[in-house]
Amino acid sequence: MPTVGILGGGQLGLMLAESLDRLGQDVVVLEADADSPCAQRRSNVISGGPADPGALATFFSRVDVATFDSENTPAPPLVPYASKLAPSLRVLEVTQDRAKEKTFLRDHGFRTVKFELVAPGADVKAAVHRFGLPCIAKSVLGGYDGKGQHRLTTETDLNSLPPSAPGGWVLEEVLQLESEVSCLVARDARSSVTFPIFENLHAHHILDLTVLPARIAPALQDEARQVADGVAGALELVGLLTVEFFIGTGRDGVRRLYVNELAPRVHNSGHVTRQACTVSQFDALARILAGVPVVQPEVHRGAWCMGQLLGEVWLAQGRSGGALDLTAWKDFPDVVDVYVYGKREARAQRKMGHFVVHADTPERALERAALFRQRLRG
């Protein structure tokens, strides 16, 4: 059995490591933050990051295969170790660069919203006038949870747009948005499986709630799974890929499914699979990294909802981080799991934990999730 490496020791790396433990794998984590979830709970953690050549060399000398917990992991330092990466360095390079990602999707025939690329140093205001308002300007590099994104509706919005962004800009048309969904694809050298479609609700650009089953038509769910599997195949993926979709109406007035973004890793929307599915997203990736065949995940009966726990919940309880007062849980038997990441510093909009609700219907699951989180906040 190989020794598996994880580049990044946040909550995603921690939950993946737990799945690897169940397969009897040795796990090594590379993480620079001494307060990270893995640094606090795992023993085999190398202190450092991809920008530290010594730590990186030590890490790769001790592992047979490695993955990453963020598509923003710098790619250039990983070039000498590309043969050990799953997903591949090519997948990482495409998905961490919005310009490359959009171009890849377009060139392979996958539908995205209308977009225009603005190279570094080019006149972004002139490009916006050419593209047309309203639109959304996104930085090519480094964006997540809404960072580096600007909705431009008026000339006033445009005048407040920074003249430059890391890697340049991508301009996107604004949809009349109906819903956002995601699909996970687990793929090894022999076979590929897709998870059920998740419906995702966001607040302030951060994933807030995930509902399973998604409340969209079966035909759209089938289309999303087929497209996600096609994207994974075009990338020649070995590992896990999250494909995020918009369902909405564009400038042409037609309602469609659009590919929004790709994440070559376990994903926040997939946390619900730890309870809702026969195989979780973390178990699926762990099996691929360990050389164990992937199997098709199935959904357990009923409806499921994952709710994020951000730093605001800790601050509302007067806590700076660490443990959370879960006294309210006794009144919510339908909350089947609460997972606190153990981060020591609570900040607004920082992901500190999550919970999962099981109910008869998606609407009931959403209702109970909202009430439980409200009770936690007091």
Side-chain angles (χ1 to χ4, degrees):
M1 298 289 258
T3 296
V4 178
I6 304 173
L7 289 154
Q11 62 267 19
L12 299 178
L14 177 62
M15 286 182 272
L16 174 59
E18 291 169 349
S19 287
L20 287 162
D21 289 343
R22 289 191 287 273
L23 291 176
Q25 297 298 295
D26 290 328
V27 181
V28 178
V29 177
L30 182 69
E31 173 57 55
D33 183 0
D35 288 335
S36 70
C38 278
Q40 291 186 57
R41 301 187 189 184
R42 308 288 303 182
S43 59
N44 208 351
V45 178
I46 296 172
S47 179
D52 182 337
L56 198 63
T58 299
F59 171 79
F60 276 103
S61 72
R62 293 173 56 184
V63 305
D64 300 295
V65 61
T67 193
F68 33 83
D69 72 352
S70 170
E71 60 273 26
N72 290 320
T73 302
L78 301 179
V79 171
Y81 312 104
S83 63
K84 291 188 175 184
L85 291 176
S88 69
L89 184 65
R90 172 180 177 247
V91 172
L92 179 63
E93 289 171 335
V94 168
T95 57
Q96 68 182 204
D97 182 307
R98 283 195 171 101
K100 290 180 180 179
E101 184 176 271
K102 292 289 187 189
T103 302
F104 168 85
L105 292 167
R106 180 192 62 198
D107 291 351
H108 286 81
F110 300 108
R111 184 187 301 118
T112 69
V113 298
K114 290 184 174 64
F115 69 91
E116 180 174 330
L117 305 181
V118 183
D123 188 341
V124 65
K125 292 184 178 180
V128 170
H129 285 135
R130 196 166 53 243
F131 188 75
L133 295 172
C135 69
I136 296 175
K138 298 181 179 180
S139 63
V140 166
L141 301 175
Y144 66 97
D145 288 347
K147 295 178 175 64
Q149 297 188 26
H150 304 264
R151 187 182 181 97
L152 308 176
T153 303
T154 66
E155 285 292 325
T156 301
D157 297 332
L158 180 55
N159 289 334
S160 65
L161 182 70
S164 62
W169 296 98
V170 176
L171 306 180
E172 296 183 0
E173 70 172 310
V174 176
L175 295 178
Q176 183 180 331
L177 192 61
E178 181 180 314
S179 59
E180 299 182 50
V181 300
S182 57
C183 181
L184 297 171
V185 183
R187 191 173 184 270
D188 61 19
R190 297 173 297 276
S191 60
S192 177
V193 300
T194 57
F195 279 75
I197 302 302
F198 312 131
E199 179 184 353
N200 301 316
L201 291 80
H202 292 77
H204 308 294
H205 300 288
I206 299 175
L207 180 64
D208 187 41
L209 300 161
T210 292
V211 188
L212 181 64
R215 296 171 297 173
I216 63 172
L220 270 179
Q221 296 195 38
D222 291 342
E223 181 184 355
R225 291 176 85 156
Q226 290 169 9
V227 170
D229 193 53
V231 173
L235 284 167
E236 299 180 317
L237 175 83
V238 174
L240 195 76
L241 180 75
T242 306
V243 183
E244 298 180 56
F245 295 93
F246 290 144
I247 299 172
T249 304
R251 293 177 179 177
D252 59 5
V254 180
R255 175 180 178 270
R256 293 190 178 98
L257 181 79
Y258 300 86
V259 179
N260 174 31
E261 291 182 346
L262 309 177
R265 55 171 172 81
V266 289
H267 194 257
N268 290 331
S269 66
H271 291 340
V272 70
T273 62
R274 284 164 52 94
Q275 285 73 39
C277 295
T278 52
V279 178
S280 77
Q281 64 167 348
F282 303 99
D283 293 339
L285 180 54
R287 292 172 74 101
I288 293 167
L289 296 171
V292 178
V294 296
V295 294
Q296 178 62 50
E298 303 294 341
V299 183
H300 296 304
R301 65 171 184 82
W304 304 82
C305 179
M306 185 281 298
Q308 293 273 26
L309 293 172
L310 303 182
E312 285 85 343
V313 178
W314 274 252
L315 298 176
Q317 290 189 1
R319 295 169 180 265
S320 59
L324 189 66
D325 181 356
L326 295 173
T327 305
W329 195 355
K330 69 181 187 304
D331 298 323
F332 292 84
D334 41 7
V335 174
V336 296
D337 186 51
V338 178
Y339 193 102
V340 175
Y341 305 148
K343 297 176 182 178
R344 293 174 180 169
E345 182 184 357
R347 300 191 301 267
Q349 300 190 339
R350 188 183 195 193
K351 299 181 182 77
M352 300 285 291
H354 71 267
F355 63 94
V356 176
V357 175
H358 184 212
D360 293 333
T361 66
E363 291 74 19
R364 177 64 174 170
L366 280 167
E367 175 189 326
R368 294 295 288 171
L371 184 57
F372 177 64
R373 192 162 50 192
Q374 180 183 331
R375 286 281 300 278
L376 288 180
R377 292 172 65 105

